[in-house]
Amino acid sequence: MPARPSASRRTVLRGAAVTPVAGLGLAACSAPDGAASADATPTAPVDLGAESELTKGDAKLYREHNLVVSRSADGALKAYSTVCTHAGCPINKLQGTTLVCPCHGSEFDAMTGKVVRSPATEPLNELPVKAANGRIVAGPGA
């Protein structure tokens, strides 16, 4: 049986150079802090501010709570988690009523939570929200 040729120095060095680059590709599909794609939903009611700050047909992003709240034309409130359903990245940009994920460019309708641009395929998770005493309150018990 003939002997197998050993790897050349060039082959070994090329493999060593590619390994870190492959790791970057895997890291690109995780949340920026390396966390899994767990949804960060409030565990208690969160006061988001004055109800008057959100007009009909508009949406407001609450980055510090990973939430977006919208008010439909009929005045109804809706709230969604702003943790992207594709790779768990926190969404930090709202253009009009479109949420834009910074990791891979997925876009979501802030009024419905539906995906409007892939790679995400699942809608955002809806959260309880209500107006109480002139304030917007989201999370459990809302």
Side-chain angles (χ1 to χ4, degrees):
M1 194 152 129
R4 208 170 175 189
S6 61
S8 71
R9 181 172 181 233
R10 180 176 291 168
T11 302
V12 171
L13 291 175
R14 194 178 298 147
V18 170
T19 301
V21 174
L24 286 176
L26 294 173
C29 282
S30 64
D33 62 1
S37 61
D39 193 23
T41 56
T43 57
V46 177
D47 184 328
L48 299 173
E51 182 182 6
S52 60
E53 293 177 5
L54 190 59
T55 60
K56 291 180 180 179
D58 202 9
K60 185 170 180 181
L61 178 61
Y62 299 90
R63 286 181 189 93
E64 65 279 6
H65 299 294
N66 289 326
L67 294 170
V68 66
V69 177
S70 62
R71 184 184 295 277
S72 65
D74 67 1
L77 294 172
K78 291 274 188 170
Y80 299 95
S81 167
T82 56
V83 175
C84 183
T85 57
H86 172 245
C89 295
I91 298 170
N92 61 5
K93 188 174 188 180
L94 179 65
Q95 295 177 323
T97 59
T98 301
L99 292 159
V100 182
C101 180
C103 293
H104 301 104
S106 292
E107 294 182 4
F108 300 87
D109 182 338
M111 306 300 279
T112 65
K114 293 181 180 178
V115 176
V116 293
R117 182 175 173 201
S118 59
T121 58
E122 296 295 319
L124 295 173
N125 293 324
E126 188 170 353
L127 303 171
V129 64
K130 68 180 178 182
N133 301 322
R135 309 290 292 171
I136 296 173
V137 180

